[in-house]
Amino acid sequence: MKKFVNDPQQFVPEMLHGIALANPDTLRYVPEYNLIHRVDAPNDDKVTIIQGSGSGHEPAHVMTVGKGMLDGACPGDVFAAPPMDYVYETTKLLASKKGVLLLVNNYTGDRMAFDMAQEMSEADGVKVRTLFIDDDVSVKDSTYTVGRRGVAGNFFVMKAVGAAAEDGADLDELIRIGEKVNSVTRTMGIALTACTPPSKGSPLFELGDDEIEIGVGIHGEPGRRRGKMAPANELVDEMLDAIVPDLPFESGDRVALMVNGLGGTPISELYILFGIAADRLGAKGITIGRSYVGEYCTSLDMAGASITLVKLDDEIERLLEAPAEVAVRIF
Amino acid sequence: MKKFVNDPQQFVPEMLHGIALANPDTLRYVPEYNLIHRVDAPNDDKVTIIQGSGSGHEPAHVMTVGKGMLDGACPGDVFAAPPMDYVYETTKLLASKKGVLLLVNNYTGDRMAFDMAQEMSEADGVKVRTLFIDDDVSVKDSTYTVGRRGVAGNFFVMKAVGAAAEDGADLDELIRIGEKVNSVTRTMGIALTACTPPSKGSPLFELGDDEIEIGVGIHGEPGRRRGKMAPANELVDEMLDAIVPDLPFESGDRVALMVNGLGGTPISELYILFGIAADRLGAKGITIGRSYVGEYCTSLDMAGASITLVKLDDEIERLLEAPAEVAVRIF
């Protein structure tokens, strides 16, 4: 394994320490709960929004804390759900008078931790609701999941509820918006290589020199099929052929198109995929209203990419357009 | 080779097509010259700023075209300087009445192309100046270079002259600012893996399972030494031990600190490096005024990172803080 790491057991804390040092004016780090939170949270004028999930998916979610997005993120170790007490303590610490919204990608371990934390927080008198995200069309169940998985489309739910929360929306309204965005969001991904968790020190699964995993999960779990490497055009077609009929997305629709890198794929290749997908959607009469190319939800150093489509309406587009300020930036 | 690509010969055009489709309101693509330019260039109220260089370093430079940064970028093929006529035609097409500033990372091929293009444009009556960037402390000369190489620190020159140009600074003033920023910027990088150019289809050089290249160039050219993989702390120390004494950066200085990913390294690891570097600089009495963590200048899919320090003063900090709008974003 060649990674920039000291003790693999300290991979997550050292990363969080770096995030805090790079954003001293806006973010705080609470080591006890792997927590990164806004300096101005809790703010009683807005609902507090918290996401956990495992580490290894950065920028999700510790680098998407900030104005217009999350108030806090308390991840577990790499690819591990956060311990229940991280979520519980974070919820108590950041609770505002308007309440707390917990965002949870649909994985069994995450659901358990967040469900228990919600129950305990409610017993303490905190107003809490939970929203599950499950945008992955690849498989119904997986190693980590009952039901569909939550993957990169999670970004759009975070962005929409984050913007609405800044505008003062209450908890019921955020649940309505989040469920609506989740219901019109669909994703599918392809892995070109496996990823290497720092503590394991070797690839999480085996993939031959000319093999790819189609419909891969963000923890490297199997997808729809193991296939042969193919030209980018064919891979985009296979992803869109799974995504488009699922909602379905139809001629006349206006969409957000995201090409998300899984960690080891350079942005040049992501733009190649974006160009192909945009052309294909244009030929189907689908208009691209908003474009997203980059890393949103990764799997450590996995080479690969996912495509997400979101069906836009005026409300969703306005929320996606709203300003946000988070750690992930080049300026 | 497993990459998202169709015909490797079309790697650059297909990427540029994707960039244009993702930014229809702000960017235009001119296929004849691999040119991405702002829709509003030329603008006679500002000096036009153009950069070329080879492809494979994205986001540099085709994804850093936009308000407050470049007016256009006309890259060559992967790791190849742009043909002279790309630079010449781009210069003529985008020339404003206030003139044209050509930014060139110091590589022999790039210098030749830009020097000739400047001469020919001047013969046509265009006011043109050229600024060379050479921030890499690793080696004096390299496979591609006489003198020091221009690497990720190039970003700070672009950002500073880009901001000043928006404010209406003339060509002489931009040269002064660009030379000043370049003179206080120092970079060094380490490769953990080689990169694979799409047309070659195999790694550009050999690096053993436990080997790293210290001081690597952004085209994979050799650095100071081939070493054994080591903990992140030691690698940061080796980079800072080369960078800090070079200017030198001293106790009491205020700096911008950039940790730049080389393409295949996840952002989690970049933040680990940032945290270590920030702690080390703090211990030396050096204050971090601005923080940059992400991909700025890459080498295709190479795993690795570079560290850049810029000595700040009020003028430079103001220019770095100024707003800019380019294609690279997650929002």
Side-chain angles (χ1 to χ4, degrees):
Chain A
M1 176 182 69
K2 290 196 287 189
K3 284 183 180 294
F4 292 114
V5 60
N6 291 306
D7 174 2
Q9 301 300 329
Q10 296 302 311
F11 185 83
V12 174
E14 290 197 11
M15 168 183 72
L16 300 178
H17 175 66
I19 293 171
L21 287 180
N23 300 277
D25 299 335
T26 52
L27 300 181
R28 288 291 174 270
Y29 170 36
V30 183
E32 292 84 341
Y33 317 122
N34 276 357
L35 170 61
I36 294 285
H37 71 86
R38 289 171 60 169
V39 290
D40 56 356
N43 172 354
D44 283 331
D45 294 334
K46 72 181 285 295
V47 172
T48 296
I49 306 177
I50 296 168
Q51 178 130 15
S53 93
S55 293
H57 306 301
E58 294 72 27
H61 301 282
V62 284
M63 299 169 197
T64 55
V65 176
K67 192 170 158 54
M69 290 284 281
L70 301 179
D71 291 275
C74 54
D77 207 342
V78 171
F79 293 175
M84 184 273 292
D85 63 302
Y86 286 18
V87 185
Y88 171 55
E89 298 293 347
T90 294
T91 301
K92 281 198 303 184
L93 188 68
L94 300 185
S96 89
K97 286 186 181 150
K98 295 193 81 164
V100 176
L101 176 65
L102 301 175
L103 297 182
V104 185
N105 281 358
N106 187 40
Y107 296 98
T108 308
D110 293 88
R111 290 190 73 128
M112 281 176 53
F114 279 84
D115 280 346
M116 285 192 293
Q118 176 173 352
E119 238 174 75
M120 291 176 62
S121 306
E122 282 172 339
D124 290 345
V126 181
K127 201 163 116 191
V128 194
R129 300 282 298 275
T130 302
L131 189 72
F132 297 103
I133 298 144
D134 60 349
D135 55 308
D136 189 345
V137 304
S138 310
V139 293
K140 178 154 173 37
D141 303 311
S142 85
T143 327
Y144 290 71
T145 335
V146 176
R148 286 188 165 185
R149 303 175 293 210
V151 288
N154 164 76
F155 169 83
F156 294 101
V157 177
M158 272 195 291
K159 181 69 189 68
V161 298
E166 294 294 338
D167 289 344
D170 66 18
L171 205 39
D172 287 341
E173 175 72 349
L174 294 187
I175 291 282
R176 179 190 70 76
I177 289 168
E179 287 179 345
K180 174 178 159 181
V181 173
N182 184 57
S183 75
V184 294
T185 300
R186 296 292 187 277
T187 299
M188 184 159 158
I190 290 182
L192 305 190
T193 69
C195 55
T196 297
S199 295
K200 184 169 187 289
S202 60
L204 196 57
F205 58 101
E206 293 299 321
L207 206 52
D209 279 349
D210 63 343
E211 276 186 330
I212 60 175
E213 183 69 40
I214 295 149
V216 70
I218 57 172
H219 311 94
E221 58 267 47
R224 290 190 168 191
R225 68 179 185 90
R226 182 72 57 102
K228 291 284 175 201
M229 188 58 199
N233 282 337
E234 292 176 26
L235 299 179
V236 170
D237 283 342
E238 181 149 6
M239 285 189 272
L240 288 182
D241 286 349
I243 294 166
V244 171
D246 194 90
L247 188 62
F249 297 91
E250 296 172 311
S251 179
D253 283 352
R254 185 172 165 89
V255 299
L257 168 60
M258 171 190 281
V259 175
N260 166 60
L262 295 182
T265 286
I267 196 165
S268 46
E269 295 178 45
L270 302 182
Y271 271 101
I272 288 176
L273 296 177
F274 183 92
I276 299 166
D279 285 339
R280 296 292 200 267
L281 293 170
K284 290 179 197 291
I286 297 170
T287 302
I288 305 201
R290 294 188 63 79
S291 305
Y292 299 82
V293 188
E295 293 181 347
Y296 294 81
C297 184
T298 62
S299 300
L300 296 166
D301 55 350
M302 181 184 284
S306 63
I307 292 179
T308 299
L309 289 184
V310 185
K311 187 168 170 174
L312 298 175
D313 63 14
D314 289 348
E315 179 183 45
I316 296 176
E317 197 154 358
R318 184 180 55 75
L319 294 167
L320 295 183
E321 272 169 11
E325 289 165 23
V326 298
V328 188
R329 58 176 167 77
I330 71 163
F331 287 95
Chain B
M1 175 182 69
K2 289 196 287 188
K3 283 183 180 295
F4 292 114
V5 59
N6 291 306
D7 173 4
Q9 300 300 327
Q10 296 301 312
F11 185 83
V12 174
E14 289 197 11
M15 168 183 72
L16 300 179
H17 174 66
I19 294 170
L21 287 181
N23 300 276
D25 299 336
T26 52
L27 300 180
R28 289 289 173 272
Y29 170 37
V30 183
E32 291 84 339
Y33 317 123
N34 277 357
L35 170 60
I36 293 285
H37 71 84
R38 288 171 62 169
V39 290
D40 57 355
N43 172 353
D44 282 332
D45 293 335
K46 72 181 285 297
V47 172
T48 296
I49 306 177
I50 296 168
Q51 177 129 14
S53 93
S55 293
H57 306 302
E58 293 73 24
H61 300 283
V62 285
M63 299 168 198
T64 56
V65 176
K67 193 171 157 57
M69 289 283 282
L70 302 179
D71 292 275
C74 54
D77 207 343
V78 170
F79 293 176
M84 183 274 291
D85 64 304
Y86 286 19
V87 185
Y88 172 54
E89 298 292 347
T90 294
T91 302
K92 281 200 301 183
L93 188 69
L94 300 185
S96 88
K97 285 186 182 151
K98 295 193 82 164
V100 176
L101 176 65
L102 301 175
L103 296 182
V104 186
N105 282 358
N106 187 39
Y107 295 98
T108 307
D110 293 87
R111 290 190 75 127
M112 281 177 54
F114 279 84
D115 280 346
M116 285 193 293
Q118 175 172 355
E119 238 174 73
M120 290 175 63
S121 306
E122 282 172 339
D124 290 345
V126 180
K127 202 162 118 189
V128 194
R129 298 283 297 275
T130 302
L131 190 72
F132 297 102
I133 299 144
D134 60 349
D135 55 307
D136 189 346
V137 305
S138 310
V139 293
K140 176 151 175 40
D141 304 309
S142 84
T143 328
Y144 290 71
T145 335
V146 176
R148 286 187 165 185
R149 303 174 292 210
V151 288
N154 165 76
F155 169 83
F156 294 102
V157 177
M158 272 195 291
K159 180 69 188 69
V161 297
E166 295 292 338
D167 289 344
D170 67 16
L171 207 37
D172 286 342
E173 176 71 350
L174 294 187
I175 291 282
R176 180 190 70 75
I177 290 169
E179 286 178 345
K180 174 179 161 183
V181 174
N182 183 56
S183 76
V184 294
T185 300
R186 296 293 187 276
T187 300
M188 184 158 157
I190 290 182
L192 305 190
T193 69
C195 54
T196 298
S199 295
K200 185 168 186 290
S202 60
L204 196 58
F205 58 100
E206 293 299 322
L207 206 51
D209 279 350
D210 63 343
E211 278 186 328
I212 60 176
E213 183 68 40
I214 295 148
V216 69
I218 56 171
H219 311 94
E221 57 267 46
R224 289 190 168 191
R225 69 179 184 91
R226 182 72 58 102
K228 292 282 175 203
M229 188 59 200
N233 282 336
E234 292 177 28
L235 300 180
V236 170
D237 283 342
E238 181 148 6
M239 286 189 272
L240 289 181
D241 285 349
I243 294 167
V244 171
D246 194 273
L247 187 62
F249 297 90
E250 296 172 312
S251 179
D253 283 352
R254 184 172 166 89
V255 300
L257 169 60
M258 171 189 281
V259 175
N260 167 60
L262 294 182
T265 286
I267 195 163
S268 45
E269 294 177 45
L270 302 181
Y271 271 100
I272 288 176
L273 296 177
F274 184 92
I276 298 165
D279 285 338
R280 296 290 199 267
L281 293 170
K284 290 177 197 293
I286 297 171
T287 302
I288 314 241
R290 293 187 65 77
S291 305
Y292 299 81
V293 187
E295 293 181 346
Y296 294 82
C297 185
T298 62
S299 300
L300 294 167
D301 54 350
M302 181 184 283
S306 64
I307 291 178
T308 300
L309 289 184
V310 185
K311 186 168 171 174
L312 297 175
D313 63 14
D314 290 347
E315 179 183 45
I316 295 176
E317 197 155 357
R318 184 180 54 76
L319 294 167
L320 295 182
E321 272 170 10
E325 291 165 22
V326 298
V328 188
R329 57 174 168 77
I330 70 162
F331 288 94

